[in-house]
Amino acid sequence: MRILSFLWRRITALVSTVVLLLLVFALFIGWRVLGPAQQDNEERVAAKRDYLEAIASAKPVPGPNIVLVLYDDMGYGDIGAGSQGNLLTTPHIDALAANGVTLSDFHSPAPVCTPSRAGIMTGRLAPRAGLPNVVFPSGSFTEAWFKVLLGSDTPLRLPAEEITLPEVLKAAGYATGMVGKWHMGDVSPSLPNDFGFDSYFGARYSNDMKPFALYRNNEVEVEAPVDQERLTEYYTREATTFIEENANAPFFLYYAHNFPHDPLHVRPERLGQSPAGLYGDVIEELDDSIGEIVDTLERAGQLDNTLVVITSDNGPWFLGDAGDQRGNKGTTFEGGMRVPFIAHWPQAIAPGRVETAMAMGTDLLPTVLELLNLPGPQDRVLDGRSILPVLRAGGPSPHEFLYYYDSSTLFAVRDQRFKYRGPAGVKYGTDSTPVSGSIPQKEWLFDLDNDPREAYDTIVHHPEAGKRLRRAFEAKQKDMEDNLRGWR
Amino acid sequence: MRILSFLWRRITALVSTVVLLLLVFALFIGWRVLGPAQQDNEERVAAKRDYLEAIASAKPVPGPNIVLVLYDDMGYGDIGAGSQGNLLTTPHIDALAANGVTLSDFHSPAPVCTPSRAGIMTGRLAPRAGLPNVVFPSGSFTEAWFKVLLGSDTPLRLPAEEITLPEVLKAAGYATGMVGKWHMGDVSPSLPNDFGFDSYFGARYSNDMKPFALYRNNEVEVEAPVDQERLTEYYTREATTFIEENANAPFFLYYAHNFPHDPLHVRPERLGQSPAGLYGDVIEELDDSIGEIVDTLERAGQLDNTLVVITSDNGPWFLGDAGDQRGNKGTTFEGGMRVPFIAHWPQAIAPGRVETAMAMGTDLLPTVLELLNLPGPQDRVLDGRSILPVLRAGGPSPHEFLYYYDSSTLFAVRDQRFKYRGPAGVKYGTDSTPVSGSIPQKEWLFDLDNDPREAYDTIVHHPEAGKRLRRAFEAKQKDMEDNLRGWR
């Protein structure tokens, strides 16, 4: 009996201790999840308003129409003309390339969706633009978990003070429309219509996130679960309708398809057509969609006067071809960040050129500013540079350096020839180990001209380049530490 | 006071519970670490003895001398003739290729060291040969941890009942010598001299494992830590001395270098010579070593009568060039398992050929059996097939299928054109996430002829191939489940 009573006391003590610990843990979780949320910088929001109003009141002369096509997870090698074994055919994209310019050394601003898009839309690297990580649907378990790990105020939407491409173009008198995937926050004030789009039709995040519905502006139009076999049909119809309705005005269409991001779907008539399997079917249906957009521009008499840009937000994921490069989506090796880039604009771009000048998605906003002869904002730093001269007439990159970020960490910096990777871990694990950890590595210098696969560290042979790039790397880290958001 | 006494009772209860749990855990750990160790199969050891004695008493006619050079983590693209941008020069290996045969579709038996070596030495896939995982130094924390995870009897050395290449050759009258990395156990009865080598000089495991000493037979000759700048010098001297001392007898030299496995070291005179950096310096010093071996064979009048084979145990790790293929060391994608293979034997191999027949490291032992006209063991299955006809005169692969294992898991099976990957997880994580987990994927069929980068699943277009390979995949799994070790 004494033993039983002894045990009973211990059991009750243990249970009460566990309950107490759980309670403390629940309080911590609750505080992290429900604590103060991300706040916008009202002073900068006002400065942005002033900047956009100044543009609008200067009544700038509009430039060409702009159609920016952004694919999701399309690889460097996924475009027909350069694909392996002719497994894919993309005649419409190839025709744009043949009649336009291809940049063979173009990079996404980040190796994953959200930060890449934040970089493209703002002309600023994602940590600078305040949105360095992939975001998940509001109220989802993953989002809550992010808050627990990173704090309740971790950025889950593009901050309202950021200046975006559509806002600039809208201020400059463009009709602005978006079709497709936003993925920079699914709550106000960070929805597409909050950031300068007159009209929006599409998904708020990736097609593997739930609930996957399609919105027209801020209302659900196609309820979840969307029949993704019809996604390209929906998007193409919206894109062509937008062009038809705005053919008499200068317009900006941001066509951000959810594919070829997993899961893959295609309309039944396309299924089984590509020798590259379902992935190829999807790419080929996307190419059909480009064909319809080009036809629509032609019918409207606007093709010659429209700058069409086609690119991707990062390298391929599980399927898809990164080209002859190291790694896939998620890494700052070239396979994760070097992406296709084609620009077509008959009135200003001489056809059939391939330009090797390095560039990045952050360059699009500065390029548009130059195109419309608009001033940049004076109260904040842009990381991109205009590549308009490169597009028009070739020549060197406007960048001395490009910076490769994943999340808020700078992994590499490059110039036109070399890529410096700072000392950092590189993942290693075997197919059968449940997880891969990072194994620390020394700094590496890749000679991309002679070693595009990033196989050999040649820092000993190029001490000057190593020093120059290490200095740029460290200066960038310090600069971002001192003034992350680049406020002036 | 009552509250204090209440708290005190609970605290003592908690402490005693924690102590109790720790005790149970310690007992579990102790049992896992100190429990019954790996046992050899005595009946099979006897059968092996009978087999080797039968060979010896049949007094077979010896074939050519054999020099098997096995590099550690050398990539498919690391050999000069095929390297990118001429960053590497390997004139001696290139000369062997020019005067011999290259197999362009040769695979290691596994994507990591130990199981690959077990496959090469036994002609059996590593799970069959009883050593599917990488092994660590006896008494190390990692080894203890393996035992905790996998049980005290998990295989940490090549089982004594396995029949190895040197044992067969020794029985056939060859002088057998090994120089370099063993990595199939560092305790008896699984040391090199236990497995048929008359003489052994080298390391028992990888050059990043501690203590890293060099053994002559079973005694330490160069104490840890070995000056790895001199490793190639030590190994080359041993290899050439072995050839000189055995030039009048048929001999087998297994030259298994520890490089280019990390950490990399090179003799001071080679440092800074290769434009591919330290990795290139190491590869080029290895090539020097091949040059000295060839010279020694030539001086001894044995070059024409020696089959020299050069290959690698798996794809490259953090640096090194996997060629234009997906992935690196650790994965069953081609970048992890397709390796260089060159065979040189002037008396029997017509020069300057490249053969595309698929083959694997497990084929070496059966090839030697055919070369010496020896019977295979009857009491056990071999997975390899002789590729002697391919080496001599080209032609098709002797395999209908090749199986790609990592650890004890079958990940893929291929025929000459297609590679079927069973439903399994593929790692995904970003550079900045601390670990990468496996994301489940459906079965995939790659058309290696048209898609060597394994970018596109084309199973819908090749249903027959898909069915045939899925059937082979499942049959292999069942076969291994029913009789893993292939005893008859």
Side-chain angles (χ1 to χ4, degrees):
Chain A
M1 276 310 286
R2 265 187 81 181
I3 285 170
L4 274 183
S5 135
F6 172 86
L7 276 177
W8 180 244
R9 280 209 310 278
R10 260 134 200 80
I11 288 166
T12 53
L14 183 66
V15 167
S16 51
T17 310
V18 167
V19 167
L20 197 70
L21 286 174
L22 281 177
L23 195 68
V24 169
F25 186 64
L27 282 171
F28 171 76
I29 297 280
W31 170 68
R32 293 290 270 194
V33 173
L34 303 170
Q38 175 182 1
Q39 291 261 317
D40 297 320
N41 180 332
E42 289 310 327
E43 184 194 340
R44 298 296 168 177
V45 171
K48 158 179 160 175
R49 203 179 305 124
D50 293 346
Y51 168 70
L52 294 172
E53 275 168 13
I55 289 179
S57 55
K59 301 206 184 306
V61 182
N65 309 304
I66 299 172
V67 176
L68 170 58
V69 181
L70 184 69
Y71 290 128
D72 196 349
D73 296 357
M74 183 164 76
Y76 189 80
D78 283 334
I79 289 198
S83 80
Q84 304 175 86
N86 295 317
L87 285 184
L88 281 169
T89 45
T90 54
H92 300 107
I93 294 178
D94 297 355
L96 291 178
N99 297 312
V101 61
T102 297
L103 299 194
S104 61
D105 201 3
F106 189 85
H107 293 77
S108 58
V112 289
C113 292
T114 300
S116 176
R117 284 152 205 270
I120 290 168
M121 283 294 115
T122 63
R124 288 153 52 97
L125 289 164
R128 177 96 79 206
L131 196 59
N133 296 310
V134 172
V135 295
F136 291 83
S138 289
S140 67
F141 177 80
T142 317
E143 192 211 41
W145 184 234
F146 260 60
K147 289 185 179 177
V148 171
L149 287 177
L150 304 173
S152 61
D153 59 349
T154 190
L156 297 170
R157 55 180 182 77
L158 189 65
E161 64 267 19
E162 287 301 312
I163 295 168
T164 64
L165 197 50
E167 287 171 319
V168 169
L169 286 164
K170 185 180 163 78
Y174 278 64
T176 56
M178 172 173 178
V179 175
K181 169 176 166 173
W182 176 244
H183 210 183
M184 288 180 286
D186 61 359
V187 289
S188 281
S190 298
L191 292 168
N193 299 91
D194 302 320
F195 273 110
F197 285 112
D198 298 328
S199 71
Y200 166 64
F201 178 85
R204 288 179 166 179
Y205 31 75
S206 297
N207 66 330
D208 61 345
M209 295 177 180
K210 283 176 183 137
F212 188 70
L214 298 181
Y215 287 75
R216 181 169 306 281
N217 300 319
N218 295 330
E219 304 296 327
V220 169
E221 180 160 313
V222 184
E223 289 195 12
V226 171
D227 174 5
Q228 293 197 34
E229 291 182 5
R230 299 187 60 195
L231 198 56
T232 301
E233 179 192 324
Y234 288 136
Y235 284 175
T236 307
R237 191 170 55 210
E238 288 298 320
T240 53
T241 303
F242 174 84
I243 293 168
E244 282 161 359
E245 288 178 354
N246 293 281
N248 298 321
F251 61 83
F252 169 53
L253 171 63
Y254 175 42
Y255 181 26
H257 210 297
N258 282 89
F259 291 146
H261 191 292
D262 242 20
L264 298 167
H265 293 278
V266 75
R267 70 169 192 270
E269 306 88 76
R270 261 291 177 197
L271 191 65
Q273 296 297 302
S274 166
L278 180 56
Y279 190 96
D281 296 336
V282 167
I283 296 279
E284 292 187 2
E285 191 184 4
L286 297 180
D287 186 68
D288 292 346
S289 176
I290 297 298
E292 290 194 40
I293 285 171
V294 169
D295 286 351
T296 307
L297 288 169
E298 204 152 28
R299 272 200 312 275
Q302 294 295 320
L303 185 59
D304 286 358
N305 186 39
T306 300
L307 169 61
V308 178
V309 168
I310 298 177
T311 188
S312 177
D313 66 342
N314 48 245
W317 206 7
F318 297 109
L319 293 174
D321 185 4
D324 184 6
Q325 295 173 103
R326 180 170 181 173
N328 285 53
K329 173 178 177 178
T331 88
T332 53
F333 289 110
E334 293 295 294
M337 296 193 65
R338 194 184 293 206
V339 288
F341 182 96
I342 291 162
H344 179 269
W345 178 21
Q347 281 184 350
I349 291 180
R353 290 152 49 229
V354 175
E355 297 294 339
T356 57
M358 66 176 181
M360 192 175 257
T362 42
D363 297 337
L364 292 176
L365 187 137
T367 301
V368 166
L369 290 175
E370 184 177 2
L371 188 64
L372 304 194
N373 200 21
L374 296 176
Q378 296 305 304
D379 70 328
R380 62 195 74 193
V381 168
L382 298 187
D383 296 290
R385 296 282 170 269
S386 171
I387 52 170
L388 193 60
V390 177
L391 298 182
R392 280 191 204 265
S397 171
H399 293 278
E400 190 181 357
F401 303 113
L402 285 187
Y403 300 91
Y404 288 57
Y405 273 88
D406 177 54
S407 182
S408 301
T409 305
L410 179 61
F411 280 89
V413 58
R414 61 171 289 204
D415 61 17
Q416 188 65 43
R417 175 173 172 189
F418 293 103
K419 181 169 173 184
Y420 171 86
R421 195 175 168 91
V426 173
K427 294 267 167 51
Y428 174 69
T430 71
D431 279 0
S432 61
T433 50
V435 294
S436 297
S438 282
I439 312 285
Q441 302 295 323
K442 290 183 297 190
E443 59 177 5
W444 287 339
L445 185 76
F446 298 120
D447 175 357
L448 294 180
D449 277 3
N450 291 301
D451 174 26
R453 292 184 201 137
E454 298 169 275
Y456 304 118
D457 164 37
T458 61
I459 200 161
V460 291
H461 291 288
H462 306 287
E464 278 311 309
K467 223 156 97 181
R468 186 173 69 247
L469 288 163
R470 187 192 304 112
R471 205 183 295 132
F473 186 91
E474 287 167 359
K476 188 71 173 181
Q477 284 181 316
K478 172 139 187 15
D479 181 36
M480 293 290 255
E481 202 175 297
D482 292 348
N483 181 7
L484 176 65
R485 299 293 296 281
W487 301 132
R488 283 178 182 142
Chain B
M1 278 311 286
R2 265 186 82 181
I3 286 170
L4 276 183
S5 134
F6 173 87
L7 276 177
W8 180 246
R9 281 209 308 279
R10 259 135 200 79
I11 288 166
T12 53
L14 182 66
V15 168
S16 51
T17 310
V18 167
V19 167
L20 197 71
L21 287 173
L22 282 177
L23 194 68
V24 169
F25 185 63
L27 282 171
F28 170 76
I29 297 281
W31 169 68
R32 294 289 272 195
V33 173
L34 304 170
Q38 175 183 0
Q39 291 260 317
D40 297 320
N41 180 332
E42 290 309 327
E43 183 194 342
R44 298 296 168 178
V45 171
K48 159 178 160 174
R49 205 178 304 122
D50 293 346
Y51 168 70
L52 294 173
E53 275 167 12
I55 289 179
S57 56
K59 300 205 185 305
V61 181
N65 309 305
I66 299 172
V67 176
L68 170 58
V69 180
L70 185 69
Y71 289 128
D72 196 347
D73 297 357
M74 183 165 76
Y76 190 79
D78 283 333
I79 289 198
S83 80
Q84 304 175 86
N86 296 317
L87 285 186
L88 282 169
T89 45
T90 55
H92 300 107
I93 294 178
D94 297 355
L96 291 177
N99 298 310
V101 61
T102 297
L103 299 195
S104 61
D105 201 4
F106 189 85
H107 293 77
S108 58
V112 288
C113 291
T114 300
S116 176
R117 284 151 204 270
I120 290 168
M121 284 293 116
T122 63
R124 287 150 57 93
L125 289 164
R128 178 95 80 205
L131 195 59
N133 296 310
V134 172
V135 295
F136 290 83
S138 289
S140 68
F141 177 79
T142 317
E143 193 212 41
W145 185 235
F146 260 60
K147 289 185 179 177
V148 171
L149 287 177
L150 304 172
S152 61
D153 59 348
T154 190
L156 296 171
R157 55 180 181 78
L158 189 65
E161 64 267 19
E162 287 302 311
I163 295 168
T164 64
L165 197 50
E167 287 171 318
V168 168
L169 285 164
K170 185 181 163 77
Y174 277 63
T176 55
M178 171 171 179
V179 175
K181 169 176 166 172
W182 176 243
H183 211 184
M184 288 182 285
D186 61 358
V187 289
S188 282
S190 298
L191 292 168
N193 299 90
D194 302 321
F195 273 110
F197 284 112
D198 299 328
S199 71
Y200 166 64
F201 177 85
R204 288 178 165 179
Y205 31 75
S206 296
N207 65 330
D208 61 345
M209 295 177 179
K210 285 177 183 140
F212 187 69
L214 299 180
Y215 287 75
R216 181 168 307 279
N217 301 318
N218 295 332
E219 305 295 328
V220 170
E221 180 160 312
V222 184
E223 288 194 15
V226 170
D227 174 5
Q228 294 197 35
E229 291 183 5
R230 298 186 62 195
L231 198 57
T232 301
E233 177 191 325
Y234 289 136
Y235 284 176
T236 307
R237 191 169 56 210
E238 288 297 322
T240 53
T241 304
F242 175 84
I243 292 169
E244 283 161 0
E245 288 178 354
N246 293 281
N248 298 322
F251 61 82
F252 169 54
L253 170 65
Y254 175 42
Y255 180 26
H257 210 297
N258 281 89
F259 291 145
H261 191 293
D262 241 19
L264 297 168
H265 293 277
V266 74
R267 73 170 191 272
E269 307 87 77
R270 262 290 176 199
L271 191 66
Q273 296 297 304
S274 166
L278 180 56
Y279 190 96
D281 296 336
V282 168
I283 296 280
E284 293 187 2
E285 191 183 4
L286 297 179
D287 186 68
D288 293 344
S289 176
I290 298 299
E292 290 193 41
I293 285 171
V294 169
D295 286 351
T296 308
L297 288 168
E298 203 152 29
R299 272 200 311 276
Q302 294 295 318
L303 185 59
D304 286 359
N305 185 39
T306 300
L307 170 61
V308 178
V309 168
I310 298 176
T311 187
S312 176
D313 66 343
N314 47 244
W317 206 8
F318 297 109
L319 293 174
D321 185 4
D324 184 6
Q325 295 175 100
R326 180 170 181 173
N328 285 53
K329 173 178 178 178
T331 89
T332 53
F333 289 109
E334 293 295 294
M337 296 192 66
R338 195 183 292 206
V339 287
F341 182 97
I342 291 162
H344 179 270
W345 178 20
Q347 281 184 351
I349 291 180
R353 290 152 49 230
V354 175
E355 298 294 339
T356 58
M358 66 176 181
M360 193 176 255
T362 42
D363 296 337
L364 292 176
L365 186 138
T367 301
V368 167
L369 291 175
E370 185 178 1
L371 187 66
L372 305 194
N373 200 21
L374 296 175
Q378 296 305 305
D379 70 329
R380 63 195 71 192
V381 169
L382 298 187
D383 296 289
R385 297 281 171 271
S386 171
I387 53 170
L388 193 60
V390 178
L391 298 182
R392 279 191 204 265
S397 172
H399 293 277
E400 191 180 358
F401 303 113
L402 284 187
Y403 300 92
Y404 289 57
Y405 273 88
D406 178 53
S407 183
S408 301
T409 305
L410 179 61
F411 280 88
V413 59
R414 60 170 289 201
D415 61 17
Q416 188 66 45
R417 175 174 170 189
F418 293 103
K419 180 170 173 183
Y420 171 88
R421 194 175 168 92
V426 173
K427 295 267 168 51
Y428 175 68
T430 72
D431 279 1
S432 61
T433 50
V435 294
S436 297
S438 282
I439 313 286
Q441 303 295 323
K442 290 183 297 189
E443 59 177 6
W444 287 340
L445 185 77
F446 298 119
D447 176 357
L448 293 180
D449 277 3
N450 292 302
D451 174 26
R453 292 184 202 137
E454 299 169 275
Y456 304 119
D457 164 38
T458 62
I459 200 161
V460 290
H461 292 289
H462 306 287
E464 279 312 309
K467 224 157 96 180
R468 185 172 72 247
L469 288 164
R470 188 190 304 110
R471 205 183 293 131
F473 186 91
E474 287 167 359
K476 187 72 175 180
Q477 284 182 316
K478 173 143 187 12
D479 182 35
M480 293 289 254
E481 202 175 297
D482 293 348
N483 182 6
L484 177 66
R485 299 294 296 278
W487 301 132
R488 282 178 181 140

